[in-house]
Amino acid sequence: MTPSAEPLRVLAVDDVAPALDEICALLADAPDVGEVARAGGAVEALRAIPTGRFDAVFLDITMPGMDGLELGGVLAAMATPPEIVFVTAFEEHAVAAYGIGAVDYLLKPVGADRLADALGRVHRARAGRSAAGPGVPGAATPEPAGPALPRVDELAVLPVEAAGRTRYVRREDVRFVEAHGDYVRLHLPGGSHLVRIPLSRLEEHWDPHRFVRVHRSFLLHLPAVRELRSDAGGGLLAHTDAGDVPVSRRHARDLRDQLLAAATAGALDGHRAPDGDGPGSDRGRP
């Protein structure tokens, strides 16, 4: 163990039970490691992370549904991310893995010496974050007093079940969300997906990411708005490439103000309106 370093708290993720047993056993035997938790897939890992403070995640790549690279990207986006070590049988993903910010890339089967080297890299990476101090890119956020845990952006990706298959929908691909009782329908340019989650809970998690309530039954992703239109009855519609969203009168003024502010800041550049019809305009077609 690195001198004066605290034992690491580690999460191992692999959908193959024997492989998960093997890496967990190796980690448990390592003197650098004080706690080993396990997850049999990406969704289980995302559920486990908010319940404990993990210093590192040892992550398989080839998994059904969300693969290890996608999960690694979600972890890397956390406010205080764990160090990521990929453990895989395939060499070809190394460039992508290091691009995410992994500290090491282990090929199966993993030996004790190679694991010890990876754990050393984890310690050095954590020490580098601490030395960088607050406010520096890549620096760790100072630990708060008490047992507070880092908040995980657990709804950045939503699993969608359909016909016995699981698809993972990224928040940034969603144009708007429509309430259906205890479910919501996620509208994307290529179609829509029904997910069991209340609109109010999704609004709570997605509000910081420019999803705004424009109607009692709709959340709208501001960067997705191409223009504002009037419908046949004089109501307001927000036009996106996934369809039109009704805007209630009580939300209309606030939406216009937010769209103007976003356009001024250049935050709508990825969804420019055709023919110069800006998102702040209510000129349109019924």
Side-chain angles (χ1 to χ4, degrees):
M1 184 186 298
T2 305
S4 74
E6 293 291 330
L8 297 171
R9 288 162 290 188
V10 176
L11 175 66
V13 186
D14 200 314
D15 66 307
V16 178
L20 183 58
D21 291 340
E22 182 177 353
I23 189 63
C24 284
L26 284 169
L27 287 166
D29 288 341
D32 299 70
V33 177
E35 176 188 345
V36 181
R38 54 193 290 150
V43 173
E44 187 178 342
L46 288 172
R47 290 171 179 164
I49 287 172
T51 67
R53 170 67 171 91
F54 294 108
D55 302 305
V57 177
F58 282 69
L59 182 57
D60 184 32
I61 288 181
T62 306
M63 296 187 293
M66 178 188 285
D67 66 26
L69 292 173
E70 291 173 318
L71 176 57
V74 173
L75 298 179
M78 291 171 54
T80 308
E83 307 304 335
I84 300 171
V85 177
F86 284 101
V87 185
T88 178
F90 303 97
E91 298 181 356
E92 60 265 28
H93 302 296
V95 173
Y98 285 116
I100 289 172
V103 298
D104 210 342
Y105 190 90
L106 306 180
L107 291 176
K108 299 176 181 179
V110 180
D113 290 345
R114 184 67 183 88
L115 181 66
D117 183 52
L119 291 169
R121 291 172 184 262
V122 170
H123 277 299
R124 290 192 292 275
R126 286 178 52 74
R129 287 177 184 270
S130 298
V136 179
T141 302
E143 292 287 344
L149 300 173
R151 181 174 180 178
V152 177
D153 191 2
E154 61 187 49
L155 297 185
V157 179
L158 292 179
V160 175
E161 306 286 345
R165 303 177 64 183
T166 302
R167 176 182 176 182
Y168 291 87
V169 175
R170 297 177 184 275
R171 177 177 54 221
E172 60 264 29
D173 295 332
V174 176
R175 301 303 193 250
F176 62 93
V177 184
E178 182 180 2
H180 284 268
D182 291 335
Y183 290 76
V184 295
R185 184 169 293 278
L186 309 175
H187 291 268
L188 292 78
S192 65
H193 305 280
L194 200 62
V195 179
R196 186 168 187 176
I197 183 173
L199 185 68
S200 58
R201 182 173 177 228
L202 203 61
E203 179 183 15
E204 177 186 352
H205 284 267
W206 284 14
D207 178 78
H209 304 279
R210 294 186 293 173
F211 279 82
V212 298
R213 182 74 74 110
V214 295
H215 187 280
R216 65 181 181 181
S217 299
F218 288 88
L219 288 181
L220 175 65
H221 194 195
L222 282 179
V225 178
R226 293 178 178 270
E227 63 184 11
L228 298 180
R229 298 175 172 178
S230 297
D231 64 18
L236 189 64
L237 298 174
H239 175 62
T240 78
D241 57 358
D244 290 341
V245 182
V247 180
S248 68
R249 292 183 181 276
R250 66 185 295 254
H251 292 290
R253 180 60 178 270
D254 186 52
L255 176 61
R256 291 178 187 276
D257 291 344
Q258 291 193 62
L259 286 172
L260 179 60
T264 302
L268 301 180
D269 288 351
H271 300 280
R272 292 187 184 276
D275 303 324
D277 219 3
S281 172
D282 59 1
R283 177 166 61 92
R285 290 155 292 280

